Amino acid sequence: MQDTLQNDVIDLENLSAMAKVFGSLFYFPLTGDNNQALLTALADESQACGEPVHETAFTQWAQVVAEDGTDTLNQDFFLLFEGGEAMYAPPWGSVYLDKEEVIFGETTVAYRQFLRQNGVELDTGMREPEDQFGLMLFAVSQFIEEKHALSAIKALLSEHLFTWCYRYLELVEKHAQTNSYQQLALLATEWCLAVQELLDIQPLAKKLYR
């Protein structure tokens, strides 16, 4: 594509890899097999997919996760992202962007159309909103891996993800009962800001309802 980054291939590769890492950490429980394997790699400093600025922070964070018990981490994941009587940090964009604070809202439909226009499908095997934070990060990685135009990657971030994710991460950090999720939210916020700078994008200003 003519508007892909020609001189920053390594940066885009790192962006894709980190999007996968954060996508997994926010989509699946930290106690799940896939994230446990990832955490083991982080703790051993053997993973090479992160940007250098994040390697030490991630290694330290992996040690924090190891100190939090399995039951505590599972409880935190449930209260934050699944919820009993209340869900403290809903991970779907439409909850923040739609006035009714519903999932599968108008902004979800708009994002779904954006994905289809770019020939991207996310099949998780479940009927769930595509604008889940972790899934959107997986989409970012997919866009890069499939060598979509840089303009499309920027649009995904500036028009669909960064419009609400900072508020989401703020709620994760505020309501998390474990140091693991508190620090993960801060790491993700730092990374999102770094991506904004890397790609020179500014999120669209949209009204948030939560």
Side-chain angles (χ1 to χ4, degrees), residues 10-199:
I10 294 178
D11 286 336
L12 274 183
E13 289 178 351
N14 285 339
L15 195 161
S16 175
M18 288 303 300
K20 276 187 177 180
V21 169
F22 279 116
S24 180
L25 295 175
F26 278 93
Y27 184 70
F28 302 107
L30 294 180
T31 55
D33 290 343
N34 47 352
N35 279 337
Q36 284 296 301
L38 176 59
L39 286 163
T40 297
L42 290 171
D44 293 341
E45 299 183 351
S46 63
Q47 65 90 24
C49 64
E51 295 173 289
V53 70
H54 290 296
E55 289 180 356
T56 300
F58 262 122
T59 302
Q60 294 174 345
W61 174 74
Q63 295 300 321
V64 172
V65 177
E67 295 170 1
D68 282 324
T70 298
D71 291 342
T72 303
L73 288 171
N74 286 338
Q75 178 71 0
D76 218 9
F77 182 88
F78 175 77
L79 291 176
L80 287 169
F81 310 134
E82 296 179 335
E85 296 181 359
M87 187 184 303
Y88 295 125
W92 305 284
S94 64
V95 176
Y96 301 85
L97 296 171
D98 286 359
K99 188 174 182 179
E100 302 300 323
E101 299 184 26
V102 294
I103 62 173
F104 289 109
E106 291 183 2
T107 56
T108 309
V109 175
Y111 176 59
R112 181 182 300 159
Q113 292 174 342
F114 169 80
L115 292 177
R116 288 176 177 172
Q117 289 170 357
N118 285 278
V120 173
E121 292 187 10
L122 299 176
D123 184 9
T124 65
M126 299 184 293
R127 184 179 181 274
E128 60 181 328
E130 293 92 336
D131 60 346
Q132 198 270 357
F133 181 68
L135 285 180
M136 294 186 80
L137 292 177
F138 286 144
V140 171
S141 180
Q142 186 172 341
F143 268 64
I144 295 172
E145 290 180 351
E146 294 179 356
K147 302 187 184 303
H148 283 265
L150 181 60
S151 58
I153 300 169
K154 286 185 173 183
L156 193 165
L157 294 167
S158 64
E159 299 175 18
H160 298 282
L161 179 59
F162 288 167
T163 53
W164 64 276
C165 74
Y166 291 110
R167 175 57 178 162
Y168 161 68
L169 293 170
E170 179 184 344
L171 291 178
V172 175
E173 193 274 333
K174 177 180 178 180
H175 292 290
Q177 299 299 304
T178 60
N179 289 329
S180 298
Y181 276 108
Q182 289 175 353
Q183 293 186 23
L184 178 60
L186 295 174
L187 284 171
T189 299
E190 177 188 351
W191 178 75
C192 288
L193 290 170
V195 171
Q196 275 190 229
E197 182 177 359
L198 171 68
L199 299 182

